[in-house]
Amino acid sequence: MAAPYRLDDDSVVVIIGSGAGGGTLGNELAQKGIDVVILEAGARIEHEDFINDEWDSFAQLAWLDHRTTGGGWRVGKDFPNLPAWIVKAVGGTTTHWAGASLRIQEHEFKALTNYGKVEGANLLDWPITLADLEPYYAKAEDKMGVTRTNGIEGLPGNNNFKILKAGADKLGYKECHTGRMAINSADRDDRMSCQQTGFCFQGCKWGAKWSTLYTEIPKGEATGRLEVRPNAHVVKIEHDADGKVTNVVYADKDGKLQSQKARIVCVACNSIESPRLLLNSESARFPDGLANSSGQVGKNYMRHTTGSVYAVFEKPVHFYRGTTMAGIIQDEAGHDPSRGFVGGYEMETLALGVPFMAAFLDPGGWGRSFASAMDGYANTAGLWIVGEDMPQEQNAVKLHATLKDQHGMRIPDVWFTDHPNDIAMRNHAYKQGQALYEAVGAIRSFPTPPYPSTHNLGTNRMSEKAQDGVVNKWGQTHDIKNLFVSDGSQFTTGAAENPTLTIVSLAIRQADYIAEQMNAGSI
Amino acid sequence: MTTIYERRRSPASGLSRRELLKRGTVGAALVITGSAVISPDRAWGVETTALKPDTMATLIKLARDIYPHDTIPDRFYAIAVKGHDTKAGQDPAHKELIEVGIADLDARAGAGGYRGLGWEDDRVAILREIETTPFFQAVRGDLVVSFYNQKDLWPHFGYEGESFSKGGYINRGFDDIEWL
Ligand SMILES: Cc1cc2nc3c(=O)[nH]c(=O)nc-3n(C[C@H](O)[C@H](O)[C@H](O)COP(=O)(O)OP(=O)(O)OC[C@H]3O[C@@H](n4cnc5c(N)ncnc54)[C@H](O)[C@@H]3O)c2cc1C
Ligand code: SF4
């Protein structure tokens, strides 16, 4: 059963955040017999209690603490206090996620080498290669039950997919299928198969979709070596005179500050809160924040080049039925600069219910053009674009100069402006998406702008040299040996793929390294 | 709370059935009495507590001009904007924002006021002039949720809502497309 640890137990590994990175790392370490405390800011809400209703679910799970935005992105104008769509609950954003699980391509790990210098971009090669990560990708795919791997069958295609596939065929695309999804196509790992409910973004009430909430976390707890402490919002990481981290300070459910001692601290709060926590942990010795000798903490914020294309047909589609992300086209995912940009993008089906469609189709839009688009809802199909965006130093998570949260900590101010490469890629993808739907008879199509960020990356990036980034190839901070970063903020570049499979693979790999180093007594 | 009264029986008293048919229920003029806005067929009414009933009637019209769905009755627009009356009762600044905003619309519309402009295009032209104002932003920003999040409206859009209790769509048409 779940092991409770004492606040003054300084032998434990403390992981902050229980999402894709933190939840996986916690289980992996516990399986190796290491004592782990996961501190999670959100509540523990079991999957039976998820709600099949977009706004009610959003209120139940989303991270709604105060945030601000800056820069030229449209999200900053349309949703000035909602830069990102992230979860605050045990399981983190793996409760909301759609399940698309793709490996980063070999050339993407070497973005600087393969794309060359791109003006205004802060490109860098990852300090690891695809070959380094392959064994861990294999483990992650097995753990998550990713379809089209390990002999697991693909999911059946819904109506939205069938339209995508017909359009792909018309355009001559070759790589179109129902995706590699961490959603059970048949019962597996004591979880049932997908019932095509259509509320993947609201948390899967059946548990068919992988989430750390009901896979990694209970498995870790069953070892007796993992305690998950919900409603524990970490506000600061503290260190000793040698510059080693010693404990973390968190606000408990009553807002009272507590201090948990630790042998090792792993930060896995997603790419806005992770750098914010490091910056807020400034001290006399580290006046610019922890692990920030490079000045790169919070910098290079990436969110993928995204956008959607929705199209209205003469006859019904009912695209909200079935898996939200029901299929993919990968033909544009390669690097082919003849298209006018570096890197590539994926096209994945996407469906929203009426409430979210109204909010996101054309934020701020109104009048007959908007209303008639909504009237076409039942006959609508849709896809989402996800492509590699350029890391830029001025795209950053900063601490707000004056505003503080309920615990007295400075809130994050999220800055983003598209790079010209991002814009060129998005326009190309809009054109392809609209052509695809028109090829199968769309009457009208909508190039829909990006939503608040669902993929948040790069703000504590991995680098070979300490001066270029925050963590080394194991996610260990260059500056502090017993401080790790264990989430998507480690990404050196964004690549075109949905990030979670890579986050999970890195966490499995990091667990091996931490165990090794602990055994060797070096941390 | 700002309440919407709904009559159970119809046709409603007051207007003859013929008159009702002649006027229709969609788009016909709202009736203002005392502190209430009442639908022409007397099937429903909104009692205001903080805003002027005239203001509420204009808000309903404004809501329809922002998201015009011709076959959706006024009642749903009334439900969507009634929160402004509730909020105005709690927050004088909000009351001021709405009353001044609506008065401004009336002033821009001239003699007969905003509701007096017969053509939607003429009203929309005024809205285009003010669409960046805090007043318009507040009304539209609230409306996009309070209007489209009404479950009773989802059938109009062909959206089926919650599906877990029905076993998802695995046996209910997730892949039933036939026209492709
Ligand atoms: C709608 C949606 C759909 C998505 N679909 C896909 C998809 O199909 N494929 C894919 O690869 N990715 C998808 N994603 C992205 C995916 O969910 C994230 O990449 C992934 O969950 C990130 O993992 P993480 O560990 O970095 O952070 P998270 O999973 O967000 O976990 C971070 C956790 O840290 C907690 N936390 C934060 N700050 C603190 C603090 N100070 N103290 C304590 N706890 C804290 C949070 O509450 C949260 O639980 C989707 C995301 C969304 C929103
Ligand atoms: S569609 Fe499948 S994976 Fe998505 S919520 Fe429903 S059952 Fe779960």
Side-chain angles (χ1 to χ4, degrees):
Chain A
M1 246 356 282
Y5 291 95
R6 291 159 43 113
L7 289 173
D8 61 1
D9 186 340
D10 60 5
S11 71
V12 296
V13 174
V14 167
I15 300 173
I16 310 168
S18 63
T24 303
L25 179 65
N27 179 32
E28 289 289 320
L29 291 175
Q31 298 296 338
K32 294 176 197 296
I34 295 169
D35 296 303
V36 181
V37 175
I38 296 184
L39 299 174
E40 166 55 55
R44 187 159 185 158
I45 300 158
E46 300 298 345
H47 65 87
E48 297 82 0
D49 297 323
F50 289 157
I51 310 168
N52 269 197
D53 179 291
E54 291 179 315
W55 285 121
D56 288 352
S57 168
F58 187 77
Q60 181 187 43
L61 295 170
W63 184 283
L64 299 172
D65 291 15
H66 197 190
R67 286 173 170 163
T68 53
T69 48
W73 56 332
R74 188 167 158 185
V75 169
K77 172 174 153 273
D78 295 332
F79 306 99
N81 301 116
L82 192 70
W85 180 4
I86 308 185
V87 171
K88 183 185 201 174
V90 173
T93 317
T94 65
T95 55
H96 262 10
W97 81 312
S101 302
L102 304 173
R103 295 183 179 194
I104 292 182
Q105 304 166 76
E106 189 165 11
H107 69 270
E108 291 170 327
F109 282 103
K110 297 254 170 285
L112 179 59
T113 302
N114 291 314
Y115 304 164
K117 268 208 168 319
V118 174
E119 204 187 317
N122 205 6
L123 281 174
L124 195 68
D125 289 346
W126 289 59
I128 55 174
T129 62
L130 177 62
D132 291 328
L133 213 49
E134 259 165 355
Y136 298 94
Y137 271 139
K139 284 186 187 171
E141 285 163 347
D142 180 44
K143 177 195 277 295
M144 299 161 82
V146 178
T147 58
R148 291 193 164 77
T149 74
N150 296 288
I152 303 170
E153 239 187 277
L155 286 158
N158 67 358
N159 292 338
N160 203 16
F161 169 72
K162 288 182 174 180
I163 292 185
L164 183 87
K165 178 75 171 77
D169 290 346
K170 284 262 163 75
L171 293 198
Y173 284 142
K174 296 283 179 283
E175 293 168 67
C176 175
H177 53 74
T178 59
R180 295 173 190 275
M181 305 297 294
I183 297 178
N184 278 351
S185 55
D187 293 4
R188 188 176 191 270
D189 196 25
D190 287 331
R191 289 181 293 114
M192 63 186 290
S193 63
C194 172
Q195 303 300 300
Q196 302 288 338
T197 314
F199 283 91
C200 309
F201 282 1
Q202 283 65 44
C204 182
K205 282 179 78 73
W206 306 99
K209 179 186 80 177
W210 179 85
S211 165
T212 54
L213 172 64
Y214 41 80
T215 59
E216 305 309 303
I217 288 169
K219 283 180 190 179
E221 285 171 335
T223 65
R225 299 252 179 219
L226 169 65
E227 178 192 352
V228 177
R229 214 172 286 163
N231 305 302
H233 192 147
V234 177
V235 296
K236 207 173 168 67
I237 303 169
E238 294 183 329
H239 61 83
D240 61 16
D242 300 333
K244 261 179 52 186
V245 295
T246 49
N247 65 294
V248 308
V249 179
Y250 68 91
D252 67 14
K253 65 177 193 318
D254 305 314
K256 251 185 72 193
L257 292 185
Q258 307 284 355
S259 170
Q260 171 70 52
K261 289 215 161 118
R263 174 166 171 187
I264 294 170
V265 173
C266 304
V267 182
C269 308
N270 208 322
S271 296
I272 294 179
E273 294 305 317
S274 285
R276 175 192 177 212
L277 180 58
L278 294 180
L279 294 172
N280 265 331
S281 298
E282 68 199 346
S283 64
R285 175 159 179 171
F286 301 115
D288 300 323
L290 287 187
N292 198 18
S293 65
S294 64
Q296 294 290 309
V297 171
K299 304 272 172 69
N300 310 303
Y301 171 61
M302 294 175 287
R303 59 181 312 275
H304 273 142
T305 292
T306 67
S308 305
V309 177
Y310 293 103
V312 178
F313 294 83
E314 208 178 312
K315 301 218 172 104
V317 179
H318 299 293
F319 75 153
Y320 54 85
R321 294 180 185 168
T323 44
T324 305
M325 218 160 247
I328 189 168
I329 297 172
Q330 303 204 269
D331 296 69
E332 301 283 2
H335 168 56
D336 169 11
S338 75
R339 291 174 298 182
F341 53 88
V342 301
Y345 63 89
E346 315 270 354
M347 289 185 270
E348 301 168 349
T349 74
L350 189 79
L352 300 176
V354 160
F356 275 13
M357 194 67 171
F360 297 121
L361 173 66
D362 178 17
W366 59 278
R368 287 224 165 243
S369 162
F370 182 89
S372 65
M374 289 302 297
D375 280 333
Y377 178 81
N379 296 8
T380 301
L383 63 80
W384 191 59
I385 299 154
V386 47
E388 176 157 11
D389 59 343
M390 291 294 107
Q392 299 178 74
E393 207 162 292
Q394 75 279 9
N395 286 347
V397 174
K398 313 175 194 181
L399 295 181
H400 196 281
T402 51
L403 292 173
K404 298 195 169 158
D405 71 2
Q406 63 273 32
H407 309 301
M409 304 310 288
R410 288 160 75 190
I411 68 164
D413 189 20
V414 183
W415 286 69
F416 189 87
T417 304
D418 280 318
H419 186 278
N421 195 76
D422 306 345
I423 296 170
M425 178 186 289
R426 184 179 296 116
N427 287 339
H428 188 274
Y430 278 153
K431 208 172 100 249
Q432 292 308 106
Q434 292 189 283
L436 179 142
Y437 285 130
E438 275 153 27
V440 279
I443 298 164
R444 205 173 152 198
S445 60
F446 312 100
T448 291
Y451 314 126
S453 317
T454 55
H455 299 173
N456 297 275
L457 303 166
T459 47
N460 291 306
R461 74 177 181 182
M462 209 182 245
S463 64
E464 187 71 57
K465 296 190 197 126
Q467 79 226 32
D468 294 332
V470 181
V471 299
N472 67 15
K473 62 181 173 177
W474 305 106
Q476 181 178 34
T477 61
H478 286 301
D479 299 352
I480 301 173
K481 256 182 143 179
N482 66 338
L483 177 62
F484 287 76
V485 174
S486 318
D487 61 17
S489 65
Q490 297 173 83
F491 281 36
T492 310
T493 53
E497 292 72 26
N498 313 55
T500 306
L501 179 73
T502 302
I503 296 173
V504 171
S505 303
L506 289 172
I508 302 173
R509 183 169 173 269
Q510 186 177 74
D512 283 356
Y513 178 77
I514 289 176
E516 228 175 76
Q517 298 295 307
M518 284 174 81
N519 278 336
S522 59
I523 44 176
Chain B
M1 272 296 289
T2 309
T3 12
I4 301 255
Y5 298 100
E6 229 181 302
R7 278 186 81 102
R8 289 283 147 73
R9 275 170 300 128
S10 78
S13 55
L15 293 171
S16 74
R17 175 171 266 273
R18 256 189 72 219
E19 217 177 330
L20 235 175
L21 287 174
K22 222 168 68 196
R23 285 196 187 182
T25 48
V26 173
L30 296 165
V31 182
I32 316 278
T33 65
S35 66
V37 179
I38 299 172
S39 68
D41 61 356
R42 316 274 155 140
W44 59 268
V46 205
E47 188 109 31
T48 60
T49 54
L51 297 173
K52 289 188 240 156
D54 245 309
T55 300
M56 183 54 76
T58 306
L59 267 178
I60 295 169
K61 189 80 173 171
L62 170 61
R64 180 181 287 287
D65 288 338
I66 293 175
Y67 298 126
H69 295 280
D70 296 340
T71 59
I72 295 180
D74 275 344
R75 180 164 57 92
F76 294 100
Y77 291 95
I79 292 170
V81 297
K82 76 186 166 78
H84 289 294
D85 182 62
T86 313
K87 200 167 166 202
Q90 297 153 353
D91 176 6
H94 192 73
K95 181 171 171 178
E96 169 95 2
L97 179 78
I98 300 295
E99 289 290 6
V100 171
I102 294 289
D104 174 56
L105 283 186
D106 283 335
R108 286 169 190 266
Y114 184 80
R115 290 196 330 271
L117 289 176
W119 286 100
E120 180 185 296
D121 280 354
D122 294 336
R123 296 190 303 274
V124 165
I126 293 177
L127 299 185
R128 290 283 168 213
E129 291 167 22
I130 62 141
E131 68 177 332
T132 57
T133 61
F135 163 71
F136 186 86
Q137 296 283 329
V139 173
R140 196 212 56 80
D142 183 74
L143 190 64
V144 73
V145 177
S146 62
F147 182 74
Y148 291 106
N149 204 32
Q150 295 178 61
K151 289 193 175 62
D152 289 348
L153 269 187
W154 293 347
H156 165 90
F157 296 102
Y159 178 51
E160 296 166 273
E162 189 275 334
S163 85
F164 173 76
S165 69
K166 301 176 195 122
Y169 290 103
I170 192 150
N171 298 312
R172 296 191 311 124
F174 78 102
D175 62 349
D176 65 357
I177 202 162
E178 270 168 8
W179 54 262
L180 256 184

